[in-house]
Amino acid sequence: LEAKTDKWAITSDLLFMNLQQDVTPNLIINSGEATAKQLGYELAGLYRILPFLEAGVGMRLNSINSEVNILRNTIGGGTQALGASLSRTWIDPIIIARYTADIDNKWLFTVRGDIGGFGIGSDFSWQAQGYVGYRFSKLFQTTIGYRYIGIDYDKGEGAERFLYNIDTYGWVVHFGFNF
């Protein structure tokens, strides 16, 4: 969601990822999987510096739940179930820059980047996005683009250590309704 005037914009973004990886069987491990679920919410304020350039600050809430479940081979031919899970939630302050172009009120172009964390939440986080879109009418538009998010979070020690040093990326499709 986004609300804006000629000079100011308030933006928000909701993100959910459900990542899963099977564990490769070997002499010790029969089977298993590792999962990480990430819920992210961003709220930011931007100021238009030039007709095509905005800059601002915001915050990004990250909530991560990671889990590992495996079946370990035992001596004698059986298996034993083992599992562990950890969850963390933190807020990263972020600094944002956004370039936008609108050609003939039909074609839309956006490039956006941010950096954050600074040791307050994560050690460092960053994001880059690029989109091209088409405005069908004053009310409806759609964009397609690519998003890359990097998060380096490392807190705690021993069994309570939570390390989330992940880069996620992929295609994004937006559908917009303007009023």
Side-chain angles (χ1 to χ4, degrees):
L1 297 171
E2 182 171 326
K4 63 183 177 179
T5 67
D6 289 340
K7 286 287 187 186
W8 293 95
I10 297 174
T11 66
S12 66
D13 189 20
L14 182 64
L15 173 75
F16 178 76
M17 287 187 271
N18 187 1
L19 310 172
Q20 177 180 324
Q21 175 70 47
D22 289 334
V23 175
T24 304
N26 57 38
L27 290 175
I28 299 172
I29 297 175
N30 180 286
S31 63
E33 74 177 14
T35 62
K37 294 180 181 176
Q38 178 179 2
L39 175 66
Y41 176 73
E42 179 182 298
L43 183 63
L46 301 171
Y47 180 76
R48 185 170 304 279
I49 300 167
L50 299 169
F52 55 86
L53 182 64
E54 298 165 292
V57 296
M59 69 82 174
R60 184 179 303 117
L61 173 96
N62 287 292
S63 183
I64 310 288
N65 181 329
S66 61
E67 189 172 315
V68 175
N69 292 300
I70 61 171
L71 286 177
R72 179 177 67 177
N73 295 322
T74 59
I75 297 174
T79 59
Q80 178 185 18
L82 300 171
S85 66
L86 283 172
S87 296
R88 292 291 187 273
T89 300
W90 70 91
I91 294 177
D92 282 334
I94 55 175
I95 299 170
I96 306 161
R98 181 169 73 172
Y99 168 86
T100 55
D102 186 336
I103 300 173
D104 294 332
N105 275 335
K106 291 288 182 188
W107 291 99
L108 312 167
F109 300 93
T110 303
V111 176
R112 182 190 184 279
D114 67 58
I115 59 170
F118 312 113
I120 297 168
S122 63
D123 295 327
F124 185 70
S125 69
W126 66 277
Q127 182 172 208
Q129 303 174 47
Y131 299 98
V132 61
Y134 186 77
R135 184 174 289 125
F136 297 101
S137 69
K138 288 183 179 183
L139 293 178
F140 299 103
Q141 68 189 44
T142 188
T143 59
I144 186 169
Y146 203 77
R147 177 185 233 177
Y148 199 111
I149 304 169
I151 300 174
D152 181 8
Y153 180 90
D154 187 359
K155 302 282 191 239
E157 294 183 20
E160 293 300 313
R161 182 179 183 207
F162 191 90
L163 172 65
Y164 190 79
N165 189 357
I166 302 281
D167 293 338
T168 52
Y169 47 88
W171 292 98
V172 177
V173 176
H174 292 148
F175 297 98
F177 177 73
N178 305 301
F179 57 93

